[in-house]
Amino acid sequence: MDFSLSEEQRMLKDTVERLVRETYDFEKRQKISESEEGFSREVWGQLAELGLLGVPFPEDFGGLGGGGIDLMIVGEAIGQGLVVEPYLSTVVLGGGLVELLGSDAQKEEILGAVVGGEKLLAFAHGEPDGRYETAHVRATAEKVGGGWKLTGRKSVVLNGGEADTLIVSARVSGAHDDEDGIGLFLVDKGAANMKLHSTPAIDGTRVAEIALDGVEVGADAVLGTPGACFQAIEEVLARAIILLSGEAVGAMNMAVDTTVEYLKTRKQFGKALSQFQVLQHRAVEMRIALEEARSLAILAAARLGEPRDVRELAVSAAKSGTGRHARFVGEQAIQLHGGIGMTWEVPVAHYAKRLVMLDHLFGDTDHHQERFAILADAAA
């Protein structure tokens, strides 16, 4: 397999990494994270101006027509800068569902606004008792007149409080864990009979808890065919995991580089910590873990366009592997920094927290290790 980047991908990598490097230092990131909205409209506008919000979308809708490798490239830059802007929720999850299931009119209206930085989306899918099961949906959609009435609870909705439009999953038929019977519905911010509570997560990002008590939407708010949306949900989650795997690699890379630099400058017993062989070995182990995670992420990104069984096997391998390696790198970075590594003012502490969060999003290491085994047995 050829792991070299095309000319367009190298340009994308240079563009997004330069933006993060030149405009998104740690101090600015902290101010943005602690602001009222939890992200910067100015930075979001810059992402739009550079065309980065259109990376995965077809050119017909103002996008770049990118694939898995392009998503990984963007994710790696996001990880390097600990970027808190809602790229995952708006572009990959929300925008991905509109691209896969939306009518021509919905794509024209919504994707154009997303690419231009004018609309924020969030995917309200997870539920309080759903754990990591993609098909778990207890929220219901009842057909009423010419529209639908939505009832249920959604939990840990990424950037749900900042979104202009929520894409809500609700069951139109079947048991709560059936793959068939899931519908997707567009719900505007501030809709009647919807309660939303936004809160910061441990890593500086924002999540929301949402209660729907008979929220009514029209027929034009339906995405795709009600009851037949599972495959699209699974595909956008695969895209999300590829972005997050890239983000983990970017964050791990910064944690390793920061730790090595600290070992070179911090002195103990009259000499730099980097001169102690046992610490050299630990730094090398961190670098090995980083490169193994990078290889898994690249493989998953390259398999995004493959048939479902091949794609999902690679995705679960990447999620499980990067989660395991990310936790190792984060823990080692904290330990090698000593007590200062636990303080709020040192970037490495924030990289470690983000790496922990990345492991839990859309299925942790244990979940995807078990899922990989099930998928591998089914393919044998």
Side-chain angles (χ1 to χ4, degrees):
M1 182 177 290
D2 184 6
F3 287 156
S4 60
L5 300 179
S6 66
E7 182 178 353
E8 292 79 7
Q9 288 168 340
R10 287 196 297 271
M11 291 175 61
L12 173 63
K13 182 178 177 66
D14 291 343
T15 298
V16 66
E17 289 186 350
R18 183 171 63 252
L19 174 65
V20 172
R21 183 174 59 252
E22 296 179 356
T23 67
Y24 214 89
D25 59 33
F26 179 68
E27 289 74 18
K28 181 174 181 179
R29 187 263 184 188
Q30 290 303 92
K31 290 180 180 178
I32 291 173
S33 176
E34 295 167 3
S35 66
E36 184 176 353
E37 284 194 295
F39 75 100
S40 168
R41 296 277 178 178
E42 178 185 358
V43 172
W44 193 248
Q46 291 176 316
L47 292 171
E49 289 176 8
L50 293 171
L52 298 175
L53 301 185
V55 167
F57 304 133
E59 296 179 6
D60 292 346
F61 302 101
L64 301 181
I69 297 296
D70 304 274
L71 282 176
M72 181 186 166
I73 289 170
V74 174
E76 193 167 350
I78 288 174
Q80 290 171 359
L82 290 176
V83 174
V84 294
E85 276 58 44
Y87 196 95
L88 172 61
S89 58
T90 293
V91 176
V92 180
L93 293 173
L97 288 170
V98 173
E99 176 203 342
L100 292 175
L101 296 175
S103 64
D104 290 341
Q106 287 171 329
K107 292 178 184 179
E108 190 69 35
E109 176 187 354
I110 298 174
L111 292 186
V114 167
V115 171
E118 301 157 1
K119 180 183 277 291
L120 301 178
L121 304 174
F123 182 31
H125 182 58
E127 297 184 350
D129 61 341
R131 191 61 174 165
Y132 299 131
E133 298 304 323
T134 304
H136 181 106
V137 177
R138 292 188 187 274
T140 60
E142 178 187 359
K143 197 164 182 58
V144 178
W148 297 81
K149 181 181 289 187
L150 310 179
T151 302
R153 302 291 183 270
K154 296 297 178 179
S155 186
V156 196
V157 179
L158 303 178
N159 298 109
E162 295 73 51
D164 301 304
T165 300
L166 298 169
I167 299 178
V168 179
S169 62
R171 187 161 293 283
V172 299
S173 64
H176 74 275
D177 56 353
D178 287 347
E179 294 182 1
D180 293 333
I182 301 174
L184 294 174
F185 304 87
L186 301 170
V187 179
D188 290 335
K189 185 176 185 178
N193 300 322
M194 180 175 72
K195 295 181 180 179
L196 187 152
H197 175 68
S198 180
T199 185
I202 65 166
D203 59 350
T205 59
R206 298 288 181 95
V207 298
E209 301 294 310
I210 298 172
L212 304 131
D213 296 311
V215 175
E216 296 188 9
V217 297
D220 59 347
V222 176
L223 273 185
T225 302
C229 295
F230 178 80
Q231 290 185 359
I233 293 172
E234 192 174 59
E235 182 172 340
V236 297
L237 290 181
R239 297 181 187 183
I241 289 173
I242 288 168
L243 182 87
L244 293 180
S245 296
E247 185 177 348
V249 169
M252 290 167 67
N253 193 42
M254 292 298 294
V256 172
D257 288 349
T258 301
T259 301
V260 170
E261 186 61 29
Y262 179 78
L263 294 178
K264 290 179 180 179
T265 57
R266 181 74 168 90
K267 291 186 177 182
Q268 189 79 10
F269 305 113
K271 60 181 181 179
L273 292 177
S274 59
Q275 296 182 36
F276 292 92
Q277 190 176 55
V278 65
L279 299 186
Q280 293 174 4
H281 290 171
R282 291 177 69 176
V284 169
E285 289 172 350
M286 291 173 68
R287 181 69 67 180
I288 291 172
L290 164 63
E291 295 306 321
E292 289 181 355
R294 192 192 307 275
S295 296
L296 287 168
I298 291 172
L299 179 60
R303 294 279 170 83
L304 180 61
E306 298 291 324
R308 185 259 177 190
D309 56 340
V310 176
R311 179 194 72 206
E312 293 301 315
L313 197 65
V315 163
S316 278
K319 192 65 170 64
S320 176
T322 56
R324 183 176 66 255
H325 293 313
R327 185 176 289 274
F328 172 78
V329 168
E331 290 174 351
Q332 293 298 310
I334 294 293
Q335 290 183 15
L336 292 177
H337 273 78
I340 195 174
M342 297 295 293
T343 62
W344 196 253
E345 292 78 11
V346 177
V348 72
H350 297 267
Y351 283 106
K353 285 194 296 182
R354 182 58 180 164
L355 288 171
V356 170
M357 179 66 85
L358 289 173
D359 180 33
H360 288 282
L361 287 174
F362 310 124
D364 61 13
T365 297
D366 292 338
H367 171 81
H368 278 282
Q369 185 171 326
E370 181 179 353
R371 184 172 186 261
F372 178 87
I374 294 172
L375 292 170
D377 286 344

